[in-house]
Amino acid sequence: MPDTVKGLKEANKALRSEIEELKSQLNEVSQKIISQTNKKPAIEDQPQVMSNDHNKAVEFIGKQYDDLDAFRKQATQDIKKIASRLDKVSRSCDEIYEAIEAIETYSYQYNIKIVGLLPVNDKESSNVTAALCVKLFSELGVNDVSLQDIDTAHRVPKRNRNSPASPDPIICKFVRRLAKDKVMAARRKIYELKPEQLGFQAQEQHGRMNIYEHLTPRLQTLLFEAKKVQNRYGFKYCWAKNNYICLRKSDDSSVVRMKTLEDLATLTTVEDAK
């Protein structure tokens, strides 16, 4: 599946490059039309000529009009061809984007992200990380999730590499959605855990431990922007759930669900109008 997503992303990138090239061509043809229009000849702008040369002058100007008209017709045809091609490539690009999103959404639904949990050692293997996850789940009261329920567990680099005191987060991928749901239901208990419960020394300091949904890149971006809106407009809650980003102003207000940046833009427009 990763190879499939990689191939689709490369195809998407190539199509977007083609779109930019077509847009450039379209703009170039449009600029030529504007340039030629500005050069439109007019009889009154022509130099005065003797009466016996009048017919030649009119013939010359008429030819210029004919050339300009032919150019416009050809340019119009070129624009239609480029626009048609651009529309076709754009649709293909959108289809690939939707396919990537569908694959990533399906894959990520089995994942959780654990932050603030110290590594067992400097060369923590995937097996050791998975065992640490099972230990954490057990301390949260989820005793029926075992190593057999985990497909893989591994550390990923922190976004902020300037925070060396904070351990790298863990991505844990389950083989069953049920196992993930059990862990997510118990995650609030993580604040009560002490280092020695997980096999660490009491003086060893974890970062602020927490468990999150592992979001697709699209949802990560949307959540990041939604946090800005939360602070700007005074929303009390902002969270991710079931492939949506949710905002809520207060405990008794309704939940606003968003799936795209356009949804977020609509919300800000509504808030600005208040």
Side-chain angles (χ1 to χ4, degrees):
M1 188 172 293
D3 290 339
T4 301
V5 173
K6 182 178 178 181
L8 285 171
K9 286 183 175 179
E10 289 176 352
N12 188 269
K13 182 178 180 181
L15 285 174
R16 291 190 183 280
S17 177
E18 186 174 354
I19 286 173
E20 292 304 316
E21 182 180 351
L22 288 170
K23 285 181 178 178
S24 177
Q25 292 177 12
L26 198 59
N27 182 64
E28 183 179 347
V29 173
S30 298
Q31 290 299 321
K32 285 182 179 180
I33 291 178
I34 293 173
S35 175
Q36 289 297 324
T37 300
N38 292 336
K39 294 179 181 179
K40 179 180 177 180
I43 295 177
E44 58 269 20
D45 293 333
Q46 300 301 316
Q48 296 294 323
V49 294
M50 300 297 292
S51 58
N52 59 345
D53 291 331
H54 181 72
N55 289 338
K56 290 183 179 180
V58 171
E59 182 180 351
F60 171 76
I61 295 171
K63 186 177 184 305
Q64 284 188 307
Y65 270 113
D66 291 341
D67 290 344
L68 180 58
D69 185 58
F71 169 80
R72 284 175 175 168
K73 289 180 179 178
Q74 183 60 49
T76 300
Q77 291 178 3
D78 291 342
I79 286 178
K80 288 181 178 179
K81 289 180 181 179
I82 295 173
S84 176
R85 176 61 180 164
L86 183 61
D87 183 60
K88 183 177 179 180
V89 174
S90 294
R91 288 198 303 271
S92 296
C93 195
D94 290 340
E95 290 171 359
I96 291 177
Y97 176 83
E98 290 174 1
I100 293 172
E101 182 64 24
I103 291 173
E104 288 186 329
T105 298
Y106 179 80
S107 177
Y108 279 51
Q109 70 176 329
Y110 293 93
N111 299 0
I112 61 171
K113 184 176 183 180
I114 305 170
V115 300
L117 184 56
L118 287 173
V120 174
N121 52 54
D122 293 337
K123 297 181 179 180
E124 186 179 86
S125 67
S126 179
N127 288 338
V128 172
T129 304
L132 180 59
C133 290
V134 171
K135 176 65 175 174
L136 172 64
F137 304 153
S138 177
E139 293 299 330
L140 293 176
V142 185
N143 298 306
D144 54 347
V145 172
S146 66
L147 284 174
Q148 284 68 41
D149 295 305
I150 297 177
D151 181 17
T152 183
H154 60 277
R155 300 271 177 179
V156 294
K158 299 186 295 289
R159 283 190 174 185
N160 185 4
R161 302 305 295 174
N162 296 322
S163 302
S166 175
D168 287 340
I170 296 172
I171 301 300
C172 180
K173 183 179 181 65
F174 295 95
V175 296
R176 297 184 301 129
R177 179 67 183 268
L178 182 60
K180 175 195 171 181
D181 291 343
K182 288 179 179 179
V183 172
M184 292 301 292
R187 63 175 179 163
R188 294 187 183 278
K189 298 178 184 177
I190 199 170
Y191 303 122
E192 304 170 6
L193 295 184
K194 293 180 173 56
E196 53 267 33
Q197 291 178 259
L198 299 173
F200 298 96
Q201 298 297 319
Q203 65 272 20
E204 292 186 272
Q205 295 296 317
H206 293 253
R208 180 177 172 82
M209 289 194 297
N210 210 337
I211 299 176
Y212 300 100
E213 294 271 1
H214 186 209
L215 304 180
T216 64
R218 177 188 65 81
L219 279 179
Q220 288 178 23
T221 299
L222 185 56
L223 179 61
F224 178 77
E225 295 300 326
K227 290 287 187 180
K228 295 180 183 178
V229 172
Q230 178 189 17
N231 295 330
R232 179 179 176 183
Y233 296 102
F235 283 87
K236 187 175 181 180
Y237 304 106
C238 179
W239 72 98
K241 184 176 182 181
N242 297 333
N243 207 31
Y244 286 92
I245 300 301
C246 303
L247 281 166
R248 191 174 187 178
K249 277 249 173 155
S250 62
D251 294 330
D252 56 354
S253 63
S254 59
V255 176
V256 181
R257 298 198 310 167
M258 294 160 297
K259 200 168 187 177
T260 65
L261 289 171
E262 288 74 17
D263 295 337
L264 189 61
T266 300
L267 175 62
T268 59
T269 300
V270 173
E271 290 295 319
D272 285 336
K274 289 181 179 179

